[in-house]
Every structure is written in C-alpha cells, then in structure tokens.
Amino acid sequence: MSWPGVTQRRVATNGISLNIAEAGKGPLVLLLHGFPESWYSWRHQFAPLAAAGYHVVAPDMRGYGKSDKPAEIAAYCQSEVVKDIIELIPALGYDKAIVIGHDWGAPTAWACALNHPDVVRAVGGLSVPFMPRSPVQPMPMLREMFKGQFFYQLYFQEPGVAEAEFERDIRMCLKKFLVLGGGETDLASLPVKGEHDDMFSNMPEPKSLPKWLTEADLDFFAGEFSRSGLRGPLNYYRNHDLYWELTKDAPTEIHQPAMYVAGTNDGVVMMAAAGIEMMPHFVKDLRLNRMIPGIGHWTQQEAPEAVNEAILEFLKQID
C-alpha cells in the first residue's frame, strides 16, 4: 500500500535507527504514534500538512514496524524514547521542531517539550493530556485502584503473557482492540472481567468495521505486527516505575504554545478527566483545547478532517 507523496527511510538517532515516513518541505512537524499503531496512524495528516508548507515526519517509534527493537525492557523507558525524538530533530537537519503525539506518543511529545524547551518550539497532544509527575509511585497506585479488576496496563506487566495472546491471532486481536477503542463502542456493554482474565477471550468479534477503519488498514497494521511482534510496544507499559524514579527532579510546567484535542467518547478521556481539567494550570500557553463529539480513542484516524483543521489552526498561530 502506498500513499502519494509519502516516502520512507531509516534515520540514526540515540544509538538506534528509526524508520520514518515523511512528506513536504518547510518547518519540521513530528507526529508520534501510540499503541498498537505505527506511522500509518497519521496517514490522513501528511497531505494537508505538507500542502500547508510543513515537513511532516511520522516515525515508527522504537519497537515498532521497521524501526530498531532493542531487547531490554528498560530500553523502552520514556527517557530513552524522548531521546530518540530529540536527537531525531538534528538528524533531520533542523534546530527546532513542533512535536505532536497521540496515545503513548502524547506523553512523549509533552516530555520533549517539558525537558527540551530550546528544541521543541510548540507541542500537541491527542487523547492523553499533560500531567506532571505523580507524587506517588505509579504501579502500586494502579494495583490498588484496580484491585480485583481487569486493567489492561496491569495485564501487560508480565513479560510474554500479552505478547502470546496478541500473537496467536494478531489480525483478530488488533481488530478487537481498535474497534473497542473507537467511538462507536458502548464501553458499558462490554463483558465484566476479573483480575485473572486475559484480554480477548470473552471480547466479542466486531460484526463489521467502523467507517474510519478499512480492511486494508487492518491488513497494514496486522502485517507490521506480524513482522515486528508485540514485545517492544508492550515494554512501554513496563517502565512506569522506572521513569517515575528517573524524573523526580523534572519540571512541572510547559511554557511553549500547546494544543490538546480528544474525543468525547475516548475511554482515556474518561479516566483522565481530572488531568484534562487541571491541564491549563501546568500548560501555560494552551492555545487550542478541543473536544470532538462522538469519537473515541483513535483521534486522528476517527476524525481526520477535524484533527487536521485543529492542527492547521494551531500551526497558523505559532508561525
């Protein structure tokens, strides 16, 4: 599958090589994907942003697609992922960049802006708001919050368990996972799970795909994970405590121009409601703060036109 005007290459950064998809010329806009996705989750953003005069670059994040996949769990700590992105900027020939992320890419983008204000001139997050470092250790807090319940981030902790379940039927698991996170799914109607359940066994197969996800899209994602596996992507979740320990002296405020966009039916938005409400206290120049009605977690895939309009509106404000 090819996308007109979008090319791919590998670029060395932070001791590894990342595969990037890129289009256009002009100021650098980096688009960072989340779990379980790839550069392809930004497929609808390349043409509009390139046409507006930007060099749009979406990497396969470490562990994904055609990018390198270090073996160690600690290699997927956000401290390393942030270095990948910060060092990618000069590797692409730039002094500064605008960094926008979705899902796991959002905390990466926020952390890039927080810790490297001299390099990141503006920042955006989709779905996941900026939240300063928690005063309490993350994993004990999550275990207490979800005691006796299934919570996907706790299920992902034991190396090899979630990998084995996903990799038994990657296409079907991705289909369930992606449709589950979409705005069409009534989360209240899903089966209740206990803390010892797996992720997909009692999750019904979707009868059809939503309009935003085609069979060809699903084939692309399944093909990428069939080659690359799930170990690297799942390792991101296994570094919550390590990253918390490493960031005890991190700043708490972002001062660059910022944007936040999310869907009203996003489960992350429901979990992070307090963080979204508090975000303007910590993101001091939040120029665009927009909720898109009716869409779920896959913001830029479910509502590409609305997301492109928001990004371009934001970019016009800072140029």
Side-chain angles (χ1 to χ4, degrees):
M1 183 185 298
S2 63
W3 287 79
V6 178
T7 59
Q8 294 183 61
R9 60 186 168 113
R10 279 168 59 89
V11 179
T13 175
N14 188 28
I16 63 169
S17 288
L18 297 182
N19 177 62
I20 66 165
E22 61 186 331
K25 294 181 179 178
L28 179 61
V29 178
L30 292 174
L31 303 175
L32 314 182
H33 71 78
F35 177 91
E37 301 176 279
S38 83
W39 71 263
Y40 184 80
S41 67
W42 297 101
R43 59 196 176 279
H44 303 298
Q45 281 66 54
F46 285 98
L49 297 188
Y54 294 92
H55 182 189
V56 188
V57 173
D60 282 330
M61 304 295 279
R62 66 164 58 204
Y64 286 84
K66 301 186 191 82
S67 290
D68 284 354
K69 303 162 187 66
E72 303 81 8
I73 290 174
Y76 296 85
C77 184
Q78 277 296 291
S79 55
E80 288 303 317
V81 181
V82 167
K83 285 181 193 173
D84 292 348
I85 302 308
I86 293 301
E87 294 186 21
L88 181 62
I89 295 167
L92 293 171
Y94 291 84
D95 297 323
K96 296 179 182 293
I98 299 151
V99 184
I100 299 171
H102 167 258
D103 186 79
W104 262 115
T108 302
W110 294 125
C112 285
L114 184 71
N115 295 294
H116 301 276
D118 54 329
V119 177
V120 178
R121 65 188 186 97
V123 62
L126 306 186
S127 176
V128 182
F130 173 72
M131 290 178 279
R133 179 183 182 272
S134 168
V136 296
Q137 192 173 350
M139 290 313 300
M141 177 180 65
L142 287 175
R143 290 189 184 100
E144 185 60 33
M145 284 174 62
F146 294 96
K147 195 171 185 178
Q149 306 172 54
F150 178 89
F151 182 57
Y152 71 103
Q153 295 197 29
L154 296 178
Y155 176 63
F156 289 169
Q157 291 304 307
E158 183 63 34
V161 173
E163 287 94 327
E165 187 181 10
F166 266 100
E167 290 168 11
R168 274 196 293 271
D169 188 343
I170 283 178
R171 193 178 193 278
M172 178 59 69
C173 290
L174 288 173
K175 181 179 182 180
K176 290 181 177 183
F177 197 88
L178 292 170
V179 174
L180 168 70
E184 306 81 9
T185 299
D186 177 8
L187 297 176
S189 70
L190 295 174
V192 176
K193 290 177 176 288
E195 63 181 320
H196 302 300
D197 286 342
D198 65 15
M199 185 147 206
F200 296 110
S201 293
N202 66 347
M203 189 186 293
E205 179 184 353
K207 295 183 175 66
S208 60
L209 294 179
K211 290 180 181 178
W212 58 269
L213 183 68
T214 68
E215 295 287 350
D217 296 334
L218 190 55
D219 287 342
F220 183 90
F221 285 122
E224 293 291 277
F225 287 108
S226 294
R227 287 190 298 274
S228 66
L230 270 294
R231 176 180 164 82
L234 288 163
N235 280 341
Y236 283 65
Y237 294 92
R238 296 168 182 154
N239 281 284
H240 286 317
D241 283 349
L242 176 59
Y243 187 55
W244 183 81
E245 290 167 10
L246 294 173
T247 53
K248 62 181 185 300
D249 299 318
T252 58
E253 295 180 352
I254 291 174
H255 293 272
Q256 298 97 311
M259 63 167 278
Y260 175 73
V261 178
T264 57
N265 292 4
D266 185 346
V268 170
V269 166
M270 298 170 195
M271 288 192 295
I276 294 169
E277 186 177 341
M278 290 298 294
M279 189 165 47
H281 294 279
F282 300 104
V283 181
K284 295 299 188 178
D285 191 5
L286 186 60
R287 300 192 182 187
L288 190 149
N289 187 358
R290 185 167 298 170
M291 301 300 296
I292 302 174
I295 69 163
H297 181 60
W298 316 110
T299 326
Q300 73 273 24
Q301 298 185 76
E302 293 185 61
E305 291 180 1
V307 169
N308 294 343
E309 180 183 327
I311 292 175
L312 288 169
E313 180 183 329
F314 176 63
L315 294 176
K316 283 177 185 173
Q317 292 183 29
I318 60 178
D319 278 346

